[in-house]
Amino acid sequence: MEQLSLANPVFATYAIAAGIMLLKGVAMSWQTVFTMMIENGGFRNPEDGRKTPFNPKPHDRQLEPNPRVERTRRIQMNDLENLPYFFVAGLIYVTTAPPLWLAQVLFYGYVVTRALHFWAYMTAQIHDVRAMLWTPGSLIILFMAGASAWAGLQAAF
Amino acid sequence: MEQLSLANPVFATYAIAAGIMLLKGVAMSWQTVFTMMIENGGFRNPEDGRKTPFNPKPHDRQLEPNPRVERTRRIQMNDLENLPYFFVAGLIYVTTAPPLWLAQVLFYGYVVTRALHFWAYMTAQIHDVRAMLWTPGSLIILFMAGASAWAGLQAAF
Amino acid sequence: MEQLSLANPVFATYAIAAGIMLLKGVAMSWQTVFTMMIENGGFRNPEDGRKTPFNPKPHDRQLEPNPRVERTRRIQMNDLENLPYFFVAGLIYVTTAPPLWLAQVLFYGYVVTRALHFWAYMTAQIHDVRAMLWTPGSLIILFMAGASAWAGLQAAF
């Protein structure tokens, strides 16, 4: 059986988890856009302060950092620091043929802890809560990356 | 037939589109470097203001933000916010065995709209133009991510 | 033989190199966290200045940029600008069935030059040294991306 095909239950699990995290990651761009529209500010480009159909009443402070927009940008950045590594580590990990239950724990565990991390970041919980919800996801990536490198070493030498 | 192999026309289409977007994404790093050289500024590291063979006449303002360098950095950042999600969503989407014509529309459509988005960003078109050229690519990723998660759910349960 | 399986020595090489770079990339997040703890500052979120078990003695300057934390953030950002492109280019490149020796040169060469680039960035070597150690990795990605797009074109048309 091909490992990187939906006929493999481990890969199907990966497709579900990665698909959900992709939707979440891309949704952050939209959240940043909507927050800029609601706040009518937090823009970054000089040309974004021009009068246009989408920006009928421009004002000087639109190009200043806006606290709510900055928060969504930081959450978006946190995703960029984590999700691509999850996607790649997860994909290679599938080729190591892990037991299905373990893959489910790792992939779905990642999705759940990242969802909680998003809630904590969005609602400005104290750092300690955010850190506790970020750590499991990071350890899951490290475990899968280590298992992938180890399986590669065993196969190659 | 293996799905993730060049014998699969859908994967071959993915390899073309992803290869082009990889060249484009990496080219942004080079564009940032060349813009810093032309502007002789926009550096970010304290040590970049030292006198070296590449920086024979250092001056104090080299470490200040430079508008042209900042623009290439924002475009580079926009790629980082979008391309990795496209690469992963596209790869998993290939395993859902979509019709070739649809894969071609999605993959090549992404390449074309991102090229136009780059032109709009580089030439500082108004926000409305940039937004209209960013949106199709983002929707393409969302569609492929949703289709991947859905196919995974159907295969797993 | 499946190309994207550990039975393929080229993919096993990729799994080793990508696994190491994943560990390195994720380790940068931890280094940023540890540097913030040691410096007791360089935080980014308003809520990170609150008194908590992890931050028993908050002070006003904790939210100001800290030079050491900013350096680890720049290194982390440099990884984000490069590693995802390496992971994707390398994976597609495996499907072009390159000779094993060439794949080893490219994959292990990437790992070695990125390790040296990290050393140069961390110890604040002059820009010229950092640039010389960044360039080979970038050229490796460009070569693999070009070879992938080319192989896709040959397969599709």
Side-chain angles (χ1 to χ4, degrees):
Chain A
M1 185 187 64
E2 272 183 72
Q3 282 170 317
L4 298 181
S5 96
L6 290 165
N8 175 3
V10 174
F11 183 79
T13 306
Y14 172 76
I16 297 166
I20 293 170
M21 294 318 295
L22 283 163
L23 293 171
K24 196 279 176 188
V26 175
M28 287 312 301
S29 294
W30 291 88
Q31 184 171 338
T32 302
V33 167
F34 286 132
T35 309
M36 286 194 291
M37 285 168 66
I38 291 165
E39 297 286 312
N40 195 24
F43 305 159
R44 275 190 175 166
N45 295 286
E47 63 267 31
D48 296 349
R50 288 190 213 154
K51 184 174 179 173
T52 71
F54 283 4
N55 192 14
K57 292 181 181 176
H59 58 84
D60 284 352
R61 302 185 57 190
Q62 283 183 318
L63 298 179
E64 292 176 9
N66 172 293
R68 290 193 189 178
V69 175
E70 290 306 302
R71 179 170 298 277
T72 71
R73 286 196 205 278
R74 286 196 302 273
I75 300 176
Q76 189 176 1
M77 191 66 219
N78 192 281
D79 278 349
L80 298 177
E81 290 168 5
N82 288 277
L83 298 192
Y85 295 147
F86 169 73
F87 295 136
V88 175
L91 186 74
I92 304 176
Y93 184 64
V94 170
T95 70
T96 68
L100 179 59
W101 69 267
L102 181 54
Q104 287 172 331
V105 168
L106 296 169
F107 293 152
Y108 294 146
Y110 191 82
V111 172
V112 170
T113 57
R114 288 300 293 182
L116 292 171
H117 179 267
F118 171 71
W119 159 80
Y121 215 149
M122 201 62 217
T123 57
Q125 301 298 311
I126 57 169
H127 166 266
D128 307 38
V129 171
R130 213 175 68 236
M132 273 189 293
L133 293 168
W134 173 83
T135 301
S138 190
L139 293 177
I140 285 170
I141 302 175
L142 287 171
F143 174 78
M144 295 194 303
S148 298
W150 180 246
L153 282 166
Q154 286 185 302
F157 297 106
Chain B
M1 184 186 66
E2 271 182 73
Q3 283 170 315
L4 299 181
S5 95
L6 290 165
N8 175 3
V10 175
F11 182 79
T13 307
Y14 172 77
I16 297 167
I20 293 169
M21 294 318 296
L22 283 163
L23 293 171
K24 196 278 176 189
V26 176
M28 288 312 302
S29 293
W30 291 87
Q31 183 170 340
T32 302
V33 167
F34 287 131
T35 309
M36 285 194 292
M37 286 168 66
I38 291 164
E39 297 286 311
N40 195 24
F43 306 159
R44 275 193 174 163
N45 294 286
E47 63 267 30
D48 296 349
R50 286 189 215 155
K51 184 173 179 174
T52 70
F54 282 4
N55 191 14
K57 290 181 181 174
H59 58 85
D60 284 351
R61 302 185 57 192
Q62 284 183 317
L63 298 180
E64 292 176 10
N66 173 293
R68 291 193 188 179
V69 175
E70 290 305 304
R71 180 171 296 278
T72 71
R73 286 196 206 277
R74 285 196 303 273
I75 300 177
Q76 188 176 2
M77 192 65 217
N78 191 281
D79 278 349
L80 298 178
E81 289 166 6
N82 289 277
L83 298 191
Y85 295 146
F86 168 73
F87 295 136
V88 174
L91 186 73
I92 304 176
Y93 184 64
V94 171
T95 70
T96 68
L100 179 58
W101 68 267
L102 181 55
Q104 286 171 332
V105 168
L106 295 169
F107 292 153
Y108 295 146
Y110 191 83
V111 172
V112 170
T113 58
R114 287 301 292 181
L116 291 171
H117 179 267
F118 170 72
W119 159 81
Y121 216 150
M122 201 61 219
T123 57
Q125 301 298 312
I126 57 168
H127 166 266
D128 308 38
V129 172
R130 212 174 69 235
M132 272 189 294
L133 293 168
W134 173 82
T135 302
S138 192
L139 293 177
I140 286 169
I141 302 175
L142 287 172
F143 173 79
M144 296 195 302
S148 298
W150 180 246
L153 282 167
Q154 287 185 301
F157 298 105
Chain C
M1 184 186 66
E2 272 183 73
Q3 282 169 318
L4 298 182
S5 95
L6 291 164
N8 175 3
V10 174
F11 182 79
T13 307
Y14 171 76
I16 296 167
I20 293 170
M21 294 318 295
L22 283 163
L23 292 171
K24 196 278 177 191
V26 176
M28 287 312 302
S29 294
W30 290 88
Q31 183 171 339
T32 301
V33 168
F34 287 131
T35 310
M36 285 194 292
M37 286 168 65
I38 291 164
E39 297 286 312
N40 195 24
F43 305 158
R44 276 191 173 166
N45 295 287
E47 63 266 30
D48 296 349
R50 287 191 215 152
K51 183 173 179 174
T52 71
F54 283 4
N55 192 14
K57 291 181 180 177
H59 57 85
D60 284 352
R61 302 185 57 192
Q62 283 183 319
L63 298 180
E64 292 176 9
N66 172 293
R68 291 192 188 180
V69 175
E70 290 305 303
R71 179 170 298 278
T72 71
R73 285 197 207 276
R74 285 196 304 273
I75 299 176
Q76 188 176 1
M77 191 66 218
N78 191 281
D79 278 349
L80 298 178
E81 289 167 6
N82 289 277
L83 298 192
Y85 295 146
F86 168 73
F87 294 136
V88 174
L91 186 73
I92 305 176
Y93 184 64
V94 170
T95 70
T96 69
L100 180 58
W101 69 267
L102 181 55
Q104 287 172 331
V105 168
L106 295 170
F107 293 152
Y108 295 146
Y110 191 83
V111 172
V112 170
T113 58
R114 288 301 293 182
L116 291 171
H117 178 268
F118 171 72
W119 159 80
Y121 215 151
M122 200 62 219
T123 57
Q125 301 298 312
I126 57 168
H127 165 266
D128 308 38
V129 171
R130 212 175 67 234
M132 273 190 293
L133 293 168
W134 173 82
T135 301
S138 191
L139 294 177
I140 286 169
I141 302 175
L142 287 172
F143 174 79
M144 295 194 304
S148 298
W150 180 246
L153 282 167
Q154 287 185 301
F157 298 105

